[in-house]
Amino acid sequence: MNAKLFDAAERATGIRQAVDRAIEQDTVQIYLQPLYGTKEHRIIGAEVLARLHDEQLGFIPPDVFIRTAEHSGTITQLGEQIFAKACRFAARNDLQSLGIKWLNVNLSPIQCRDNQMAEGLCRIAARYGVPIQTFKFEITESTLVYELRLRQNMEKLLAEGAILSLDDFGTGYSNLMRINKFPFGDVKLDMSFVRTYFNEANPLLPAMVKSFQASGIKTTAEGIETKDMVEALTGLGCDILQGYYFSRPLPEQDFLAYMQNQPQSFQ
Ligand code: C2E
Ligand code: MG
Ligand code: MG
């Protein structure tokens, strides 16, 4: 093995060990990123984003450690620990009085292949006394490939009142027919798709927003960093906006402080 490959293999092993340690010690943290409602003119929800600070490797980006957990077969356990922390946050704080309608939680495609996933999530929510309607579950289009098991899992979550959200729309080979077969309440336009529209205006994004609207599906635009983007996407009819313009993902306490000072934030 040459030196570069050896380094890469060693780093991968290090990350796998860090993920195993985090699961064993239950140290993965959750951050929350505000979601702005364009009709409400205020923050109406938050996306739960996992964070891993390893004592040896430092900060490991979520897409890296999530992929590692998927490969090593620990994603279900990790996903449950993340969801338990989202439930704990919902149980400890009066979300309604903060104006929060739901928390978005990401589910990995591999996690969705587990036919006990929905039961597992419902059991955790029940343990914290949090209704499952508190959550929107974000899945990506690649998840739809595991159609049968996904459908069973989703039917259970939907029957309990959760909302299903399609994440990262516009990145892969989006197939509207396939999307149409699932009861998504919400579609999230990926930030690369949103950026492309702002780099050179084209009719695709407005047409997508309109067609989702016509199907009764809400749209969220990701990666909103400027006031111009807020105004343009609000004008196009997007329901929810997410991005650094409003806030970066925040640790629990900072998120609560942000919510309490929110009215000043957008003036
Ligand atoms: P995602 O679900 O699409 O999450 C949105 C990502 O965009 C987050 O990155 C967020 O920090 C980033 N973002 C939000 N607004 C802006 C903006 O205005 N500008 C820019 N440049 N970025 C913005 P993050 O936290 O690094 O997460 C990356 C991905 O990792 C997530 O993408 C999701 O696929 C995955 N992930 C994170 N937490 C979890 C989790 O708990 N479970 C699972 N299965 N996946 C997770
Ligand atoms: Mg997401
Ligand atoms: Mg996304």
Side-chain angles (χ1 to χ4, degrees):
M1 209 189 282
N2 72 33
K4 253 191 177 155
L5 275 177
F6 182 76
D7 283 353
E10 201 161 331
R11 170 136 180 97
T13 307
I15 293 173
R16 202 169 58 240
Q17 287 166 345
V19 174
D20 289 347
R21 263 196 304 278
I23 292 174
E24 198 183 301
Q25 297 163 9
D26 194 10
T27 49
V28 168
Q29 285 180 287
I30 59 161
Y31 275 39
L32 297 123
Q33 186 176 29
L35 299 170
Y36 174 81
T38 57
K39 315 271 183 314
E40 297 82 355
H41 307 287
R42 59 177 179 81
I43 302 302
I44 55 172
E47 178 169 1
V48 173
L49 292 158
R51 293 288 180 265
L52 174 51
H53 298 272
D54 181 65
E55 55 202 11
Q56 288 168 31
L57 300 184
F59 176 75
I60 307 174
D63 32 10
V64 173
F65 72 76
I66 294 288
R67 198 168 351 118
T68 301
E70 287 175 341
H71 286 158
S72 64
T74 51
I75 187 64
T76 293
Q77 213 182 339
L78 182 66
E80 288 192 346
Q81 290 184 351
I82 294 166
F83 184 59
K85 287 184 181 149
C87 290
R88 188 181 67 184
F89 179 78
R92 283 182 179 171
N93 298 288
D94 184 353
L95 297 187
Q96 217 175 345
S97 75
L98 288 171
I100 300 290
K101 298 186 190 179
W102 11 247
L103 297 177
N104 287 29
V105 171
N106 292 282
L107 299 177
S108 133
I110 307 294
Q111 195 180 353
C112 290
R113 276 162 67 177
D114 179 339
N115 52 16
Q116 297 299 307
M117 181 189 75
E119 278 82 1
L121 297 179
C122 290
R123 214 172 20 248
I124 293 167
R127 197 193 319 144
Y128 284 90
V130 177
I132 204 90
Q133 299 97 288
T134 312
F135 301 100
K136 277 190 187 177
F137 291 102
E138 297 191 8
I139 61 170
T140 55
E141 235 188 313
S142 62
T143 316
L144 305 184
V145 175
Y146 314 111
E147 197 175 319
L148 183 64
R149 269 185 258 172
L150 176 70
R151 200 170 274 285
Q152 289 163 346
N153 273 319
M154 291 313 150
E155 276 168 4
K156 167 102 177 118
L157 294 174
L158 290 164
E160 301 285 334
I163 298 172
L164 191 55
S165 177
L166 181 68
D167 203 0
D168 301 345
F169 179 82
T171 42
Y173 298 90
S174 295
N175 179 331
L176 290 178
M177 291 307 287
R178 198 164 57 194
I179 292 171
N180 211 23
K181 289 204 291 182
F182 282 87
F184 290 107
D186 198 301
V187 167
K188 298 186 78 176
L189 310 176
D190 189 73
M191 72 179 98
S192 59
F193 184 46
V194 173
R195 298 243 158 106
T196 304
Y197 175 74
F198 281 92
N199 288 339
E200 48 176 302
N202 62 71
L204 195 57
L205 188 143
M208 286 298 167
V209 174
K210 286 229 156 36
S211 83
F212 287 129
Q213 243 171 8
S215 316
I217 298 174
K218 301 234 181 284
T219 45
T220 301
E222 293 186 318
I224 306 306
E225 294 187 355
T226 65
K227 198 164 196 257
D228 287 350
M229 293 174 90
V230 175
E231 286 168 1
L233 290 159
T234 302
L236 290 177
C238 285
D239 300 283
I240 300 171
L241 305 178
Q242 173 177 8
Y244 295 170
Y245 178 76
F246 302 101
S247 169
R248 287 178 181 258
L250 299 168
E252 295 180 30
Q253 289 312 314
D254 295 359
F255 175 75
L256 291 170
Y258 175 93
M259 288 308 295
Q260 270 136 16
N261 296 318
Q262 194 203 149
Q264 290 91 37
S265 312
F266 310 116
Q267 282 164 11

